[in-house]
PDB file of all heavy atoms in Angstrom:
ATOM      1  N   ALA A1648     254.469  14.806 134.290  1.00 69.00           N
ATOM      2  CA  ALA A1648     254.493  15.195 132.983  1.00 69.00           C
ATOM      3  C   ALA A1648     253.145  14.705 132.355  1.00 69.00           C
ATOM      4  O   ALA A1648     252.520  13.764 132.774  1.00 69.00           O
ATOM      5  CB  ALA A1648     255.607  14.557 132.150  1.00 69.00           C
ATOM      6  N   PRO A1649     252.508  15.398 131.268  1.00 73.00           N
ATOM      7  CA  PRO A1649     253.245  16.464 130.525  1.00 73.00           C
ATOM      8  C   PRO A1649     252.898  17.851 131.088  1.00 73.00           C
ATOM      9  O   PRO A1649     253.317  18.880 130.490  1.00 73.00           O
ATOM     10  CB  PRO A1649     252.694  16.292 129.127  1.00 73.00           C
ATOM     11  CG  PRO A1649     251.356  15.734 129.370  1.00 73.00           C
ATOM     12  CD  PRO A1649     251.293  14.906 130.529  1.00 73.00           C
ATOM     13  N   GLN A1650     252.092  17.999 132.186  1.00 71.00           N
ATOM     14  CA  GLN A1650     251.653  19.257 132.693  1.00 71.00           C
ATOM     15  C   GLN A1650     252.430  19.646 133.894  1.00 71.00           C
ATOM     16  O   GLN A1650     251.875  20.334 134.842  1.00 71.00           O
ATOM     17  CB  GLN A1650     250.188  19.033 133.020  1.00 71.00           C
ATOM     18  CG  GLN A1650     249.299  18.685 131.813  1.00 71.00           C
ATOM     19  CD  GLN A1650     249.230  19.838 130.828  1.00 71.00           C
ATOM     20  OE1 GLN A1650     249.570  20.946 131.080  1.00 71.00           O
ATOM     21  NE2 GLN A1650     249.050  19.387 129.548  1.00 71.00           N
ATOM     22  N   SER A1651     253.678  19.178 134.023  1.00 81.00           N
ATOM     23  CA  SER A1651     254.450  19.433 135.190  1.00 81.00           C
ATOM     24  C   SER A1651     254.822  20.919 135.424  1.00 81.00           C
ATOM     25  O   SER A1651     255.142  21.618 134.419  1.00 81.00           O
ATOM     26  CB  SER A1651     255.706  18.613 135.227  1.00 81.00           C
ATOM     27  OG  SER A1651     256.573  18.889 134.239  1.00 81.00           O
ATOM     28  N   ASN A1652     254.706  21.418 136.584  1.00 85.00           N
ATOM     29  CA  ASN A1652     255.089  22.730 137.040  1.00 85.00           C
ATOM     30  C   ASN A1652     255.529  22.656 138.518  1.00 85.00           C
ATOM     31  O   ASN A1652     254.645  22.612 139.367  1.00 85.00           O
ATOM     32  CB  ASN A1652     253.961  23.671 136.877  1.00 85.00           C
ATOM     33  CG  ASN A1652     254.290  25.113 137.085  1.00 85.00           C
ATOM     34  OD1 ASN A1652     255.247  25.412 137.874  1.00 85.00           O
ATOM     35  ND2 ASN A1652     253.689  26.065 136.410  1.00 85.00           N
ATOM     36  N   HIS A1653     256.907  22.522 138.649  1.00 85.00           N
ATOM     37  CA  HIS A1653     257.324  22.199 139.960  1.00 85.00           C
ATOM     38  C   HIS A1653     257.021  23.249 141.013  1.00 85.00           C
ATOM     39  O   HIS A1653     256.705  22.934 142.266  1.00 85.00           O
ATOM     40  CB  HIS A1653     258.879  21.964 140.016  1.00 85.00           C
ATOM     41  CG  HIS A1653     259.710  23.231 139.771  1.00 85.00           C
ATOM     42  ND1 HIS A1653     259.944  23.787 138.595  1.00 85.00           N
ATOM     43  CD2 HIS A1653     260.322  24.109 140.740  1.00 85.00           C
ATOM     44  CE1 HIS A1653     260.630  24.925 138.709  1.00 85.00           C
ATOM     45  NE2 HIS A1653     260.863  25.021 140.020  1.00 85.00           N
ATOM     46  N   GLU A1654     256.906  24.472 140.606  1.00 87.00           N
ATOM     47  CA  GLU A1654     256.521  25.567 141.491  1.00 87.00           C
ATOM     48  C   GLU A1654     254.967  25.362 141.932  1.00 87.00           C
ATOM     49  O   GLU A1654     254.647  25.513 143.155  1.00 87.00           O
ATOM     50  CB  GLU A1654     256.746  26.863 140.891  1.00 87.00           C
ATOM     51  CG  GLU A1654     258.164  27.264 140.670  1.00 87.00           C
ATOM     52  CD  GLU A1654     258.398  28.621 140.055  1.00 87.00           C
ATOM     53  OE1 GLU A1654     257.346  29.286 139.772  1.00 87.00           O
ATOM     54  OE2 GLU A1654     259.542  29.051 139.862  1.00 87.00           O
ATOM     55  N   VAL A1655     254.221  25.130 140.919  1.00 89.00           N
ATOM     56  CA  VAL A1655     252.772  24.880 141.322  1.00 89.00           C
ATOM     57  C   VAL A1655     252.648  23.661 142.111  1.00 89.00           C
ATOM     58  O   VAL A1655     251.912  23.608 143.140  1.00 89.00           O
ATOM     59  CB  VAL A1655     251.970  24.719 140.113  1.00 89.00           C
ATOM     60  CG1 VAL A1655     250.517  24.330 140.450  1.00 89.00           C
ATOM     61  CG2 VAL A1655     251.950  26.095 139.362  1.00 89.00           C
ATOM     62  N   ALA A1656     253.422  22.558 141.789  1.00 88.00           N
ATOM     63  CA  ALA A1656     253.324  21.338 142.518  1.00 88.00           C
ATOM     64  C   ALA A1656     253.815  21.528 144.000  1.00 88.00           C
ATOM     65  O   ALA A1656     253.162  21.039 144.950  1.00 88.00           O
ATOM     66  CB  ALA A1656     254.165  20.266 141.857  1.00 88.00           C
ATOM     67  N   THR A1657     254.907  22.233 144.127  1.00 87.00           N
ATOM     68  CA  THR A1657     255.453  22.358 145.466  1.00 87.00           C
ATOM     69  C   THR A1657     254.505  23.294 146.389  1.00 87.00           C
ATOM     70  O   THR A1657     254.183  22.894 147.481  1.00 87.00           O
ATOM     71  CB  THR A1657     256.816  23.117 145.440  1.00 87.00           C
ATOM     72  OG1 THR A1657     257.700  22.311 144.691  1.00 87.00           O
ATOM     73  CG2 THR A1657     257.358  23.473 146.787  1.00 87.00           C
ATOM     74  N   PHE A1658     253.981  24.318 145.699  1.00 89.00           N
ATOM     75  CA  PHE A1658     252.988  25.162 146.409  1.00 89.00           C
ATOM     76  C   PHE A1658     251.745  24.355 146.784  1.00 89.00           C
ATOM     77  O   PHE A1658     251.286  24.436 147.907  1.00 89.00           O
ATOM     78  CB  PHE A1658     252.619  26.408 145.530  1.00 89.00           C
ATOM     79  CG  PHE A1658     251.549  27.247 146.108  1.00 89.00           C
ATOM     80  CD1 PHE A1658     251.880  28.148 147.147  1.00 89.00           C
ATOM     81  CD2 PHE A1658     250.241  27.141 145.606  1.00 89.00           C
ATOM     82  CE1 PHE A1658     250.793  28.901 147.739  1.00 89.00           C
ATOM     83  CE2 PHE A1658     249.208  27.863 146.232  1.00 89.00           C
ATOM     84  CZ  PHE A1658     249.498  28.755 147.206  1.00 89.00           C
ATOM     85  N   ALA A1659     251.151  23.749 145.836  1.00 89.00           N
ATOM     86  CA  ALA A1659     249.908  23.005 146.078  1.00 89.00           C
ATOM     87  C   ALA A1659     250.124  21.915 147.117  1.00 89.00           C
ATOM     88  O   ALA A1659     249.276  21.745 148.040  1.00 89.00           O
ATOM     89  CB  ALA A1659     249.341  22.419 144.813  1.00 89.00           C
ATOM     90  N   LEU A1660     251.213  21.129 146.990  1.00 89.00           N
ATOM     91  CA  LEU A1660     251.448  20.015 147.992  1.00 89.00           C
ATOM     92  C   LEU A1660     251.781  20.623 149.324  1.00 89.00           C
ATOM     93  O   LEU A1660     251.226  19.934 150.320  1.00 89.00           O
ATOM     94  CB  LEU A1660     252.635  19.112 147.459  1.00 89.00           C
ATOM     95  CG  LEU A1660     252.178  18.383 146.150  1.00 89.00           C
ATOM     96  CD1 LEU A1660     253.578  17.631 145.710  1.00 89.00           C
ATOM     97  CD2 LEU A1660     251.196  17.319 146.424  1.00 89.00           C
ATOM     98  N   ASN A1661     252.547  21.666 149.452  1.00 90.00           N
ATOM     99  CA  ASN A1661     252.779  22.227 150.765  1.00 90.00           C
ATOM    100  C   ASN A1661     251.472  22.789 151.419  1.00 90.00           C
ATOM    101  O   ASN A1661     251.275  22.586 152.613  1.00 90.00           O
ATOM    102  CB  ASN A1661     253.852  23.345 150.628  1.00 90.00           C
ATOM    103  CG  ASN A1661     255.273  22.836 150.593  1.00 90.00           C
ATOM    104  OD1 ASN A1661     255.530  21.739 151.285  1.00 90.00           O
ATOM    105  ND2 ASN A1661     256.110  23.451 149.772  1.00 90.00           N
ATOM    106  N   GLU A1662     250.681  23.418 150.514  1.00 89.00           N
ATOM    107  CA  GLU A1662     249.416  23.939 151.094  1.00 89.00           C
ATOM    108  C   GLU A1662     248.507  22.809 151.575  1.00 89.00           C
ATOM    109  O   GLU A1662     247.784  22.891 152.608  1.00 89.00           O
ATOM    110  CB  GLU A1662     248.706  24.752 150.058  1.00 89.00           C
ATOM    111  CG  GLU A1662     249.348  26.190 149.749  1.00 89.00           C
ATOM    112  CD  GLU A1662     249.286  27.080 150.888  1.00 89.00           C
ATOM    113  OE1 GLU A1662     248.177  27.095 151.607  1.00 89.00           O
ATOM    114  OE2 GLU A1662     250.170  27.819 151.185  1.00 89.00           O
ATOM    115  N   CYS A1663     248.533  21.773 150.766  1.00 90.00           N
ATOM    116  CA  CYS A1663     247.703  20.646 151.073  1.00 90.00           C
ATOM    117  C   CYS A1663     248.235  19.964 152.395  1.00 90.00           C
ATOM    118  O   CYS A1663     247.445  19.531 153.290  1.00 90.00           O
ATOM    119  CB  CYS A1663     247.694  19.566 150.027  1.00 90.00           C
ATOM    120  SG  CYS A1663     246.731  18.109 150.341  1.00 90.00           S
TER     121      CYS A1663
END
Side-chain angles (χ1 to χ4, degrees):
Q1650 303 293 334
S1651 62
N1652 186 328
H1653 72 277
E1654 293 182 355
V1655 172
T1657 302
F1658 173 78
L1660 291 173
N1661 279 324
E1662 289 293 321
C1663 180

